[in-house]
Amino acid sequence: MKYGRKTMAILSAILLTASLGLTACGGGDKAKETAGKPEQAQEQKGGTLIFARGGDSTTLDPQNSTEGETTRVTDNIFDTLVQYKKDSTEVEPALATQWESSPDGKTWTFTLRENVKFHDGTEFDANSVKFNFDRMIDKNNEYHVGGNFDYVISQFTAFKGEPGAVIKEVKVLDKNKVQFILNVPQAPFLANVAMPFFAIESPEAIKKHKDKIGQHPVGTGPYKFVEGGWKPNDTITLEKNKEYWKGEPILDKIIFKVIPDNTARLTALKSGEVDLIDGMNPSDAATVEADKNLTLYERPSMNVGYLSFNTEKKPFDNPKVRQALAMAVDKQGLVDAFFAKRGQAATNALPPSIWGYNKELEAKDYKYDLEKAKQLLAEAGYPNGFETDLWAMPVSRPYMPQPQKIAESIQADFAKIGVKTKLVSMEWGTYLKKTKNGEHTMALLGWTGDNGDPDNFLYVLLDKDNAKPPAAQNISLYKNDKVHELLIKAQTTPDQKVREDLYKQAQEIILNDAPMVPFVHSTPVLASSSKVKGYVPHATGSEKLNDVSIEK
C-alpha cells in the first residue's frame, strides 16, 4: 500500500505552516490548546515494536544532536514546549498549552501544562524550562556540557550575550508561565521551539549526569529509556511511560535496532525479525508493494542530498573549480540510478516543497557538460585536473540511500575531467564531527528539514554564522556577506512575501558561487509488517510512536 494521497496532504500542510508561523510572530496572536486526548485507539494494547535503521544514535541528549538517528529515538523520550502535528509541520500545543507574542514580536509568553512529571518523578514547571534553555543558550552555564549545542547557533544565531543572539533571556513569571525575551523578532521562532533539539530534559538528571546525560536521558515523553538498554551499534530499548500526559501509549516497548545493510534490513522485515524499517533501497519498493504481508510508506520529500566543497581549502577556494565540478556531476543520472524515480534532481538546497523555492533557477543550473567543465578547470589553472579526497557517508540516510555507490558514480564522472579522487569513509559519529570541523575537502551529506521554513535550509546550511568549526552545519564553510544580509533580513521580517523575495535572491547568489552541488530531493520509502497500525511517516524524519500498535 502506498500513501501517495497522504503525501500530498502533508505537503499542503507544510505550506500552510509558514503563514501560521508568521502570524504568530507578527504580534498579538494567541494560540489556545486544541490538542486534547489522542484519538481512541481501537488496536489491541501491548507488544514490542522493533524499528530497524541503518545507523546508531550518536547521543541521547537531544540538545546536543544534529542527526536523525538520534532524534528518531529522543522524540519518544522527550517533549518540547510546542510540537508539529502528526502529519504536518503545523505547530500544536505540547508541554505548553497556550502561547502569545507581543506586538513587536520580541516577547513570547508560554503557559505550561500542569501535573506533568519527568520519568524520574520530578516535576515539570517553568523553572525546568528556564533551566534547560539557560543550559543551551549560555556558554557560561555550568551545565553547558556534553556537546556544542549546534542548534542554538543554527536557529538562534549565537549564544547568549554574543553579537546577533536572538534569545536575550528566559524569565519565570510563575510556576506555570515562562517568558522568552528576544533581542530581535524572529519569524520562525515558534516553529524553531518545536524542534526536537529544544526538548525539555529533567534538570535533576542533568545535574546528576552532567556531560554524560546523553547516555542517561530523562524526559516527559511517551516512552522511557531503559537504563543499560543502549548496546552501541546494536539496540536501544524504550518502555512505555504509563503516566504520560496524553495517555498511556499503546505499545509496551520499542526497540531501535541497527542493521547497516539496506538489503539485510529488508530481509529481516520479511522474516519477521523486525517490524518497521527505514533506509530502504528505492528499487525495493516494488517488492514491498507486491507483498501482502508488508506495507510501503512514502515520507514527504523535504530534504536535499548534496556534495559539499570545503571553500577554505585549495583548489575549492576558487569558484571556477567548484563550478567546473558542478558541471561534472550527472544529477539526473544519479536520480535515475539510485532513487528509482522517487526523487528529483536538485538545483539548490531548498526543496520545491517549501515556500520561497526559486523555480526560475532551474533553467540556470549547471548542466552536465564535461567539455565545459574541462574548459573551466583550465581557466582556473588546472588543465590536467588534480587529485583530492571525496568523503562518503558510512550510513544510508533518507536523502542518500546508497552513499558508497553514489560516491563511486561521482568519482567516475570526475575522472573524466582529470580529477582523481580517493574515496574516504569512517564511523558515522566521527564523519559528522570531522565535517563540522572542516577537515574534509569534498564530502557527501544531506539535510532533512526540521520545521518547514526556508530559514531551516538556507540559513543553517549556507550562512556564515553556521560556518564555524568545530560546530559548522555549513560544512562548505561558505561565507558571502550579501547572502548573510539577505538571510538575516528574512529571519526578522514578518511579511512572508518579502521573505520569499529575499530567499529567492539568496538562492541565485548561492547558485553562482556553487559552494555545494545539491543533486537530489528524495522521497524516502519505508516499510513495515502489515500488522503495524497507526504509523505516519513525518516530513521531518522523526516522529512519536505512541499511537502505533501491532496486531497480535
Side-chain angles (χ1 to χ4, degrees), residues 17-19 21-22 25 186-189 192 355-357 451-456 458-459 486-507:
T17 301
S19 60
L22 281 165
C25 192
Q186 186 186 50
F189 178 76
N192 287 345
W355 62 273
Y357 175 74
N451 64 5
D453 194 285
D455 178 75
N456 183 245
L458 298 177
Y459 179 72
L486 292 167
L487 296 182
I488 293 298
K489 189 174 180 181
Q491 272 188 352
T492 55
T493 300
D495 188 312
Q496 183 171 329
K497 287 187 177 178
V498 175
R499 293 186 74 203
E500 186 172 340
D501 180 61
L502 294 168
Y503 286 127
K504 287 183 175 179
Q505 291 180 53
Q507 288 168 67

Side-chain angles (χ1 to χ4, degrees), residues 40-246:
Q40 192 65 37
Q42 299 300 316
E43 294 80 5
Q44 190 172 357
K45 287 184 177 293
T48 297
L49 176 81
I50 302 179
F51 192 146
R53 59 212 181 119
D56 202 1
S57 304
T58 56
T59 177
L60 293 180
D61 175 3
Q63 298 170 9
N64 271 311
S65 169
T66 60
E67 51 85 25
E69 295 304 352
T70 285
T71 56
R72 172 165 294 132
V73 179
T74 59
D75 225 28
N76 290 282
I77 301 174
F78 297 95
D79 291 309
T80 41
L81 290 179
V82 291
Q83 65 187 16
Y84 307 120
K85 287 188 173 179
K86 188 175 178 179
D87 58 356
S88 76
T89 52
E90 186 178 348
V91 172
E92 67 177 8
L95 289 177
T97 56
Q98 297 183 39
W99 56 89
E100 60 183 330
S101 64
S102 61
D104 65 1
K106 293 172 68 174
T107 301
W108 285 80
T109 304
F110 293 85
T111 301
L112 306 180
R113 191 175 300 277
E114 300 181 33
N115 302 316
V116 175
K117 290 189 180 299
F118 291 102
H119 300 155
D120 58 8
T122 57
E123 189 175 12
F124 164 77
D125 58 15
N127 284 314
S128 54
V129 176
K130 177 176 171 55
F131 180 94
N132 275 267
F133 275 89
D134 283 351
R135 178 198 185 217
M136 287 186 267
I137 67 174
D138 187 354
K139 291 175 73 172
N140 296 318
N141 185 288
E142 67 175 299
Y143 300 109
H144 189 85
V145 293
N148 296 318
F149 298 86
D150 298 347
Y151 260 85
V152 172
I153 304 298
S154 298
Q155 306 306 134
F156 300 123
T157 308
F159 293 109
K160 182 179 179 180
E162 296 179 341
V166 170
I167 301 177
K168 182 178 181 181
E169 63 177 320
V170 181
K171 291 182 176 179
V172 174
L173 300 185
D174 61 39
K175 183 181 177 183
N176 297 308
K177 195 163 285 187
V178 67
Q179 195 170 69
F180 288 71
I181 309 297
L182 310 186
N183 286 307
V184 292
Q186 186 186 50
F189 178 76
L190 193 65
N192 287 345
V193 173
M195 290 183 181
F197 314 101
F198 302 109
I200 306 300
E201 306 185 38
S202 161
E204 293 306 313
I206 291 174
K207 291 174 185 175
K208 179 180 178 181
H209 298 291
K210 299 179 180 175
D211 62 338
K212 302 296 189 299
I213 187 66
Q215 286 81 51
H216 307 279
V218 179
T220 59
Y223 290 91
K224 302 188 290 187
F225 176 69
V226 176
E227 279 294 335
W230 187 356
K231 299 176 182 176
N233 295 312
D234 185 13
T235 56
I236 295 176
T237 301
L238 309 182
E239 63 182 14
K240 75 162 66 176
N241 172 16
K242 295 180 181 177
E243 308 300 322
Y244 189 46
W245 55 267
K246 284 188 77 175

